[in-house]
Amino acid sequence: ETTIPGMPCTCQDLADLDLPENFEVTIALESLTHVNRPVDALLRIRERTDRIIIRDHVSEEASMVYNHWNMRVPSTKDMHRLLEQAGFRIEHEERVDVPWECVSAFWLRNLKNAFPVFIPEGQFSILKSTCEHIVHSGPPQQKIHLLVAS
């Protein structure tokens, strides 16, 4: 458990979420797409909060799965369905523009500094190849959406 001054916070894997108390709001930042059972996680969250703010990857077209990232990117329609199945009603939604090429170049510089001598493996290798692809071929198909629901 972590505490922000004046605000208790619980840090747990959404798939295993077990909140000890009620909260005014839950914030999920680029995390829901990594949950194996997002409806179950949202249902558990719904039991303990009246409002959720989600900032996450959403596909403008069909839902996508990236197994190497353990990531499921829902379509806009599927994201809406997930929230509705958990008993939430969307109050606000907007697309957040992300400068993918700049962010990817930043991560590539960080990786080069972190791995000056040896080649990154595992998730770092995937991050490196993904960032290189974005820098050379343009941004990914999914967008970042900000959703507020109660």
Side-chain angles (χ1 to χ4, degrees), residues 1-10 23 25 27:
E1 185 167 302
T2 306
T3 301
I4 296 173
M7 179 181 354
C9 294
T10 300
F23 296 87
V25 66
I27 301 172

Side-chain angles (χ1 to χ4, degrees), residues 89-102:
R89 182 182 52 80
I90 297 171
E91 296 177 2
H92 175 80
E93 180 175 13
E94 66 184 75
R95 193 174 100 193
V96 179
D97 289 324
V98 175
W100 290 105
E101 291 90 341
C102 294

Side-chain angles (χ1 to χ4, degrees), residues 79-148:
M79 178 63 90
H80 291 186
R81 191 177 304 122
L82 286 170
L83 287 164
E84 289 168 7
Q85 287 175 333
F88 286 104
R89 182 182 52 80
I90 297 171
E91 296 177 2
H92 175 80
E93 180 175 13
E94 66 184 75
R95 193 174 100 193
V96 179
D97 289 324
V98 175
W100 290 105
E101 291 90 341
C102 294
V103 171
S104 296
F106 170 79
W107 276 105
L108 283 172
R109 280 192 304 277
N110 284 344
L111 286 169
K112 192 178 284 187
N113 291 336
F115 299 99
V117 178
F118 60 95
I119 298 170
E121 296 179 11
Q123 293 290 320
F124 290 112
S125 175
I126 294 168
L127 177 63
K128 181 178 182 284
S129 64
T130 301
C131 289
E132 287 171 341
H133 178 76
I134 290 170
V135 168
H136 298 297
S137 304
Q141 294 295 316
Q142 76 259 10
K143 306 294 182 192
I144 300 289
H145 280 221
L146 175 70
L147 297 107
V148 178

